Amino acid sequence: EPEVTQTPSHQVTQMGQEVILRCVPISNHLYFYWYRQILGQKVEFLVSFYNNEISEKSEIFDDQFSVERPDGSNFTLKIRSTKLEDSAMYFCASSGGDSGDTQYFGPGTRLTVL
Amino acid sequence: KNEVEQSPQNLTAQEGEFITINCSYSVGISALHWLQQHPGGGIVSLFMLSSGKKKHGRLIATINIQEKHSSLHITASHPRDSAVYICAGGRYGNKLVFGAGTILRVKS
């Protein structure tokens, strides 16, 4: 069964460094999302991406964040100048195509900012 | 503003019991998702509902559109069902708004 993959599974970085989280969505999906979950809290929406552009972003998704789909298969989330409060689990999801509205989630990347 | 509220926050059951988790959602949400999150953190999509009822194995999800309410039922619960169950609402191609989750523990 097709699945969404994410790399790395765990990323440790120093405050102020840049990180890139990578996702490979399901191949025929059209909509792509990044969510994050701070430990002990709800999952929160960050950004959605459709037709090679951002379709919606949350208040959290400020100038520190950017997304890209550089080659038609990867979907990346870049966090410039990481802060301690960026420590969280980051989930990529995709939907559309044959799966309709069901969003399929990747296993997550646990980001720890020291 | 799209919102999703679920209850209970925590639920402990004995193996074999019938379990119900409830979710209420606000105007603007046209599809309701039930998700399962295991201790390792991974999220699995269980159901997506816009009307009626869906069943998969021992899991049943129902939705009442007029009342903006959905329930997830687990029949003959088993310790392996222990996980966090999350309802999330959205519209096609749009973000999901997540509930806080229900921590389910099934004791043998």
Side-chain angles (χ1 to χ4, degrees):
Chain A
E1 184 176 325
E3 58 182 17
V4 177
T5 59
Q6 288 184 245
T7 54
S9 56
H10 191 188
Q11 173 92 47
V12 181
T13 191
Q14 294 292 325
M15 190 169 57
Q17 295 296 305
E18 175 181 287
V19 295
I20 297 176
L21 310 184
R22 292 184 166 80
C23 169
V24 179
I26 293 172
S27 62
N28 66 348
H29 283 185
L30 304 171
Y31 301 91
F32 313 108
Y33 312 85
W34 282 102
Y35 298 92
R36 79 171 184 191
Q37 185 178 33
I38 294 170
L39 189 64
Q41 297 186 21
K42 289 184 190 183
V43 179
E44 305 172 282
F45 168 75
L46 291 177
V47 65
S48 57
F49 194 86
Y50 171 72
N51 201 25
N52 286 317
E53 59 183 26
I54 290 173
S55 48
E56 187 176 1
K57 59 184 181 180
S58 71
E59 294 172 352
I60 303 166
F61 194 89
D62 59 21
D63 292 344
Q64 178 195 8
F65 294 89
S66 61
V67 289
E68 211 175 29
R69 190 159 156 78
D71 56 12
S73 62
N74 290 283
F75 179 49
T76 62
L77 174 69
K78 183 189 290 186
I79 310 175
R80 288 181 278 276
S81 189
T82 50
K83 304 171 192 166
L84 295 176
E85 55 264 36
D86 294 328
S87 295
M89 190 77 139
Y90 288 80
F91 292 101
C92 171
S94 68
S95 69
D98 296 342
S99 74
D101 196 31
T102 299
Q103 292 191 21
Y104 288 82
F105 287 81
T109 293
R110 184 170 299 283
L111 175 65
T112 302
V113 182
L114 302 175
Chain B
K1 182 181 176 183
N2 294 340
E3 290 184 345
V4 175
E5 299 286 337
Q6 64 179 104
S7 62
Q9 190 174 357
N10 289 279
L11 183 55
T12 299
Q14 284 296 132
E15 182 174 357
E17 284 185 358
F18 181 84
I19 288 163
T20 296
I21 300 169
N22 295 300
C23 180
S24 297
Y25 58 93
S26 64
V27 173
I29 288 172
S30 58
L32 203 289
H33 301 246
W34 283 101
L35 310 160
Q36 182 189 56
Q37 186 172 33
H38 278 284
I43 294 175
V44 174
S45 183
L46 298 174
F47 297 104
M48 194 279 292
L49 290 161
S50 53
S51 64
K53 175 179 170 178
K54 288 190 177 178
K55 184 175 189 293
H56 186 248
R58 294 179 296 104
L59 301 178
I60 303 166
T62 62
I63 190 168
N64 183 320
I65 298 165
Q66 285 73 33
E67 295 184 7
K68 295 186 177 38
H69 181 270
S70 177
S71 294
L72 176 70
H73 306 286
I74 305 175
T75 62
S77 59
H78 189 276
R80 65 174 175 268
D81 296 325
S82 298
V84 179
Y85 292 84
I86 303 171
C87 67
R91 290 180 292 121
Y92 184 80
N94 284 270
K95 67 182 183 189
L96 292 180
V97 176
F98 288 75
T102 294
I103 302 170
L104 172 64
R105 181 181 168 214
V106 181
K107 297 194 287 187
S108 57

